[in-house]
Amino acid sequence: MKRLLWAAAALTLLALPLFTDATLGHGWVRILDFALLYVLLALGLNIVVGYAGLLDLGYVAFFAVGAYCYALLSSPQFNLHWPLWVLLPLGAMVAACFGVLLGTPTLRLRGDYLAIVTLGFGEIIRIFLNNLGAPVNITNGPQGVSGIDSLSVGSYNLGQTHGWGFFEFVPVVNAYYLFLIGVLLAIVFSHRLERSRIGRAWAAIREDEIAAASMGINTRNLKLLAFAMGASMGGLSGGLFAGFQGFVSPESFTLMESVMILCMVVLGGMGNIAGVVLGAVLLSVLPEALRAAGPLQQEWLGRVVLDPSNLRLLMFGCALVLMMLLRPEGLLPARARQRELHGE
Amino acid sequence: MSSVVKPLLQAFDIHKSFGGLKALGGVSLSLEQASITGLIGPNGAGKTTFFNVLTGIYKPDAGHTEFRGQTLPAGLPHLVAARGIARTFQNIRLFANMTVLENVMVGRHVRTSAGVLGAIFKTAATRREEMAIRARAHELLKYVGIDARSHHVAGTLSYGDQRRLEIARALATDPFLLALDEPAAGMNASERAQLGELILRIREDGRAILLIEHDVKWIMRLCDFVTVLDYGLCIAEGSPLEVQNDPRVIEAYLGVGAA
Ligand SMILES: Nc1ncnc2c1ncn2[C@@H]1O[C@H](COP(=O)(O)OP(=O)(O)O)[C@@H](O)[C@H]1O
Ligand SMILES: [Mg+2]
C-alpha cells in the first residue's frame, strides 16, 4: 500500500510537466520550474531558520552568488563555457563560503540584530553586483550578464526541444526534470541531516544555546555549518536559475525575494520538510494563478476593478495575518515547533 | 594507596565581578577523585557563578583551574565538556521540546564524530555510531530511572523527572566530574532520598560530584567534603563534621545556634 502511494506520487511528479504542457501550455510549466527553484531555496533557508533557529533576511544573496557564478563562467562575458557538472557544485561551494563569511560576524547576534545584519549582507551583495561593472568589468553592472549557455547534461541540451517517441520535451519540461532532481536531492539531504548527530546539535542550539554548549556542542562551528549548508542549496538554485533564464541581473535578487523565501518557510512550517515544500509551492504558484483574475474581471464585470498585482499583495497580506493569528507554527509544522508555540 | 593522590580538580583564586558586584572574590577549591563535595552558602553567595566560571559559561576576571593535570580553557563551555566536566542547571535547562531520549542523545555529541558527509550518505560507520548513541541513551535513562518516559517530550515531565533527565544528559558526556546546581530543589523527602541514592551510585561508578544544595542535613549526610561560600569568599572547608562545627559557618550560614 505504501509502495503503491510512492509509485503514484513518483508518476504524478514525472507526468506533471508533460500533462501541464499539453493542457495549460509552456507558461505554466515555467511556473512549475520556478516553483521547484523556490522549493530548493526554501529548503536551504529551512536549514538555517528551521533547524538551527537563526534568522536570515539576506538569504537571496546566496541565490545571487550561485547565479553569478554560473553566469560568469558560462557566457560570453569572459568567454568561458564551463560544463554544468562543474558549475553547479562550484556555485554551491562558493555560496557556502559566502554563508560562512556572513555567519562569522553574526555569531554573537540573535533575533532582531541578526535579522538586520543579514538583511544588510543581502543588500551588500546586490549592490556589489550592481557596481562591479566598472572600472574593471566583472558583473556587467545593472545590465546583468546575458547570453548564458543553456543547461546541458553531457550532449543533451536542455535548452532545445527533443522529441522522444510520442512525447515532446520542450526546454521548460527538460528544466523541470533537472530541477526535480535537485529538489529531491535537497530533500534527502535535509531529511538525513535533520535526523543525524548534526541535526540534533542544531535543534539543541535552537532550544537552548547555553545548555547546548555545556553539553559539548561547538555552537560557533555548528552555526557556521548551518549557514554554509543552507547557502549551498541557495547557490545550487541560483546556478540552475542562471542556466535556465540565460540572463541574470542584480534586480532579481532584492530584499523582497529574501522576504518571500522566508515567508514560504514560515507559512509552510519551519523545520518540517513537507511544510516548507508546501509553502514554497503555494507562494510561488498561487500568485501566478491570481494573474488570471484580471481577464476574469474583464469578462464578468466589463472592466478590471482590482488590479491583479494589487490583489496578489492583498491576498498575501491577509494570508500572513491569518496565519499568524490561527496557525503561527505554519501549515505543516514540525513537531517541536508546534510544542513551542502551543504547549502540549 | 598513598594519601597524596593528585586532586581531580583545583581552582586557584577565582575572581569574578558583575559591574561593581564582586560575585567571587578569590575562590580556591580542590576536589578529590570519586568524591562528593558539597558547595553550600546563603543565597547570592556566588555558588552558581562559580559553576558558570568552572564550566566555561563565564570567563573569570582572574584565576585558573586545573583539571586532571591540565589547565581548563576559560570561557569555552564545549571544551570544558570535552575535558570531562558536565553540569546541570539551577533553573532546569532541558531541550524542552525535544523528546527525553533526544535530550540524552545530544549529550553524546561530544563523544561521537559523525559529520555532514556521514549523515548525508548514511555510511555504515555513521549508522553504527547512531545505534550506539541510542543504546547508550536508553542505558542512561534506565540508570536514572526514567526510561519508560523516553518518548515523552522533555518539557512535559514532572519536575523531579526533569531533574533526573538533566543528570542523564550530563552523564551522557562521560564526565569525570558531574556538577549539580541545586538538584534537589523543590523535591519532597522521598524524592530527595532517591536522588541521594542516585548520586551515591554515580560516585561508585568512579565519577566525582560537586553539589550545590541548601538542605544542610541532606548534604551533610551525602558529602565527603563540604566547602562554604559567603559573599564570594570561601569561609570554610573540610569534612561535614568539621564544617558543621566551624563558628564562622554557624554565624554566616546556619545561623547562630542552628547547628
Ligand atoms: N549574570 C549576572 N549578572 C549580574 N549579576 C549576577 C549575574 N549572575 C550572578 N549575579 C550576582 O552575583 C551574586 C552571586 O550570585 P549566584 O552565583 O547566583 O549566587 P548563588 O548561586 O550562591 O545563590 C548575586 O548577587 C547575583 O545577583
Ligand atoms: Mg544559585
Side-chain angles (χ1 to χ4, degrees):
Chain A
M1 187 61 208
K2 204 166 177 189
R3 249 192 222 162
L4 221 66
L5 274 176
W6 278 110
L11 260 173
T12 311
L13 279 177
L14 286 176
L16 188 64
L18 292 170
F19 178 77
T20 309
D21 193 37
T23 51
L24 297 169
H26 296 344
W28 272 95
V29 184
R30 204 181 156 72
I31 291 169
L32 289 183
D33 291 345
F34 274 101
L36 288 175
L37 290 181
Y38 274 117
V39 169
L40 206 46
L41 285 169
L43 284 170
L45 184 59
N46 180 49
I47 290 182
V48 181
V49 178
Y51 292 169
L54 304 160
L55 192 51
D56 186 350
L57 274 181
Y59 185 69
V60 79
F62 307 126
F63 185 52
V65 167
Y68 269 86
C69 210
Y70 192 104
L72 296 178
L73 298 175
S74 184
S75 71
Q77 176 76 359
F78 295 119
N79 214 5
L80 292 170
H81 301 279
W82 292 17
L84 180 96
W85 61 269
V86 175
L87 285 176
L88 291 183
L90 182 73
M93 256 154 37
V94 173
C97 292
F98 273 84
V100 172
L101 203 68
L102 159 71
T104 308
T106 63
L107 284 170
R108 289 165 186 281
L109 305 176
R110 303 156 158 283
D112 311 353
Y113 299 100
L114 181 58
I116 289 179
V117 172
T118 53
L119 185 154
F121 181 79
E123 286 298 286
I124 286 171
I125 293 282
R126 192 176 60 80
I127 290 166
F128 258 100
L129 294 174
N130 231 333
N131 291 291
L132 283 178
V136 186
N137 185 358
I138 300 174
T139 64
N140 213 21
Q143 285 93 29
V145 182
S146 51
I148 301 170
D149 303 338
S150 57
L151 300 162
S152 58
V153 181
S155 61
Y156 189 97
N157 187 341
L158 276 69
Q160 288 168 1
T161 302
H162 300 257
W164 277 25
F166 180 71
F167 297 110
E168 186 157 81
F169 290 83
V170 293
V172 283
V173 171
N174 293 328
Y176 173 94
Y177 290 115
L178 182 64
F179 296 178
L180 186 64
I181 294 172
V183 164
L184 292 179
L185 280 180
I187 288 177
V188 171
F189 284 11
S190 296
H191 182 78
R192 291 188 169 179
L193 275 176
E194 187 188 347
R195 274 139 208 268
S196 70
R197 168 174 175 267
I198 305 287
R200 272 195 305 275
W202 282 335
I205 292 172
R206 191 182 73 216
E207 293 255 329
D208 188 329
E209 199 171 331
I210 287 181
S214 299
M215 289 303 116
I217 290 172
N218 186 333
T219 54
R220 183 197 60 185
N221 287 3
L222 274 146
K223 284 179 176 181
L224 289 181
L225 183 64
F227 275 120
M229 294 300 299
S232 68
M233 288 189 194
L236 177 65
S237 186
L240 293 171
F241 171 77
F244 179 56
Q245 289 280 79
F247 167 73
V248 294
S249 76
E251 68 185 61
S252 304
F253 310 109
T254 57
L255 172 63
M256 197 54 210
E257 287 296 318
S258 290
V259 172
M260 188 57 105
I261 302 164
L262 186 61
C263 283
M264 291 170 174
V265 174
V266 173
L267 175 88
M270 53 182 145
N272 183 21
I273 294 172
V276 169
V277 172
L278 178 71
V281 171
L282 278 182
L283 285 192
S284 53
V285 172
L286 275 189
E288 298 298 331
L290 281 177
R291 276 187 207 281
L296 275 182
Q297 288 178 40
Q298 189 78 43
E299 198 174 305
W300 293 348
L301 307 171
R303 66 194 175 94
V304 178
V305 181
L306 244 173
D307 179 51
S309 62
N310 288 343
L311 186 65
R312 267 165 58 185
L313 283 179
L314 187 71
M315 301 254 318
F316 190 55
C318 288
L320 280 185
V321 170
L322 277 180
M323 284 294 297
M324 289 304 116
L325 289 175
L326 300 176
R327 222 175 147 78
E329 70 274 29
L331 294 172
L332 295 175
R335 258 185 325 142
R337 286 285 170 176
Q338 197 158 23
R339 287 180 212 126
E340 256 163 59
L341 287 158
H342 289 294
E344 197 66 12
Chain B
M1 273 278 266
S2 74
S3 59
V4 287
V5 183
K6 217 171 158 8
L8 177 68
L9 176 139
Q10 275 181 295
F12 297 100
D13 204 25
I14 305 280
H15 289 257
K16 178 75 196 173
S17 302
F18 299 105
L21 180 88
K22 208 169 211 177
L24 297 175
V27 174
S28 296
L29 182 90
S30 140
L31 301 180
E32 302 297 321
Q33 312 265 3
S35 67
I36 302 178
T37 304
L39 187 60
I40 64 174
N43 262 326
K47 306 180 296 293
T48 298
T49 304
F50 180 76
F51 264 39
N52 285 337
V53 170
L54 178 68
T55 56
I57 289 173
Y58 296 153
K59 242 188 183 152
D61 302 331
H64 75 283
T65 310
E66 304 249 318
F67 183 66
R68 301 180 70 230
Q70 281 181 306
T71 304
L72 272 186
L76 294 165
H78 66 281
L79 291 184
V80 173
R83 288 282 180 85
I85 300 181
R87 69 172 293 180
T88 65
F89 296 87
Q90 182 172 351
N91 41 352
I92 304 176
R93 299 188 85 137
L94 287 169
F95 307 121
N97 298 299
M98 294 165 79
T99 67
V100 168
L101 185 68
E102 283 166 348
N103 266 272
V104 184
M105 287 171 82
V106 169
R108 290 304 293 159
H109 182 93
V110 68
R111 300 292 168 229
T112 47
S113 61
V116 170
L117 291 181
I120 286 176
F121 297 111
K122 266 199 180 169
T123 58
T126 306
R127 275 187 312 224
R128 258 200 312 278
E129 186 181 275
E130 195 67 13
M131 259 156 59
I133 291 173
R134 199 169 281 270
R136 178 80 178 123
H138 276 299
E139 202 177 286
L140 286 165
L141 286 172
K142 283 202 192 87
Y143 186 86
V144 302
I146 52 172
D147 194 41
R149 303 237 178 285
S150 61
H151 294 290
H152 290 229
V153 176
T156 64
L157 292 188
S158 72
Y159 190 76
D161 284 351
Q162 292 199 14
R163 290 266 182 222
R164 281 165 186 277
L165 175 53
E166 242 197 339
I167 293 176
R169 183 180 69 176
L171 286 175
T173 66
D174 292 342
F176 295 99
L177 170 64
L178 181 62
L180 305 173
D181 195 345
E182 302 199 18
M187 286 189 173
N188 61 32
S190 85
E191 284 174 323
R192 234 162 239 259
Q194 277 181 5
L195 179 66
E197 277 165 34
L198 176 62
I199 290 171
L200 288 172
R201 234 184 319 143
I202 293 170
R203 196 236 339 235
E204 264 155 44
D205 290 346
R207 303 184 207 280
I209 289 148
L210 179 61
L211 185 63
I212 297 178
E213 183 45 52
H214 280 299
D215 183 338
V216 176
K217 267 200 201 126
W218 188 71
I219 211 160
M220 293 299 176
R221 224 176 316 127
L222 204 58
C223 293
D224 306 311
F225 305 98
V226 175
T227 295
V228 188
L229 284 191
D230 194 21
Y231 292 110
L233 290 173
C234 180
I235 58 166
E237 59 186 328
S239 71
L241 205 68
E242 287 164 358
V243 168
Q244 234 167 344
N245 296 322
D246 191 309
R248 278 171 307 176
V249 177
I250 295 170
E251 192 189 320
Y253 184 58
L254 304 176
V256 181

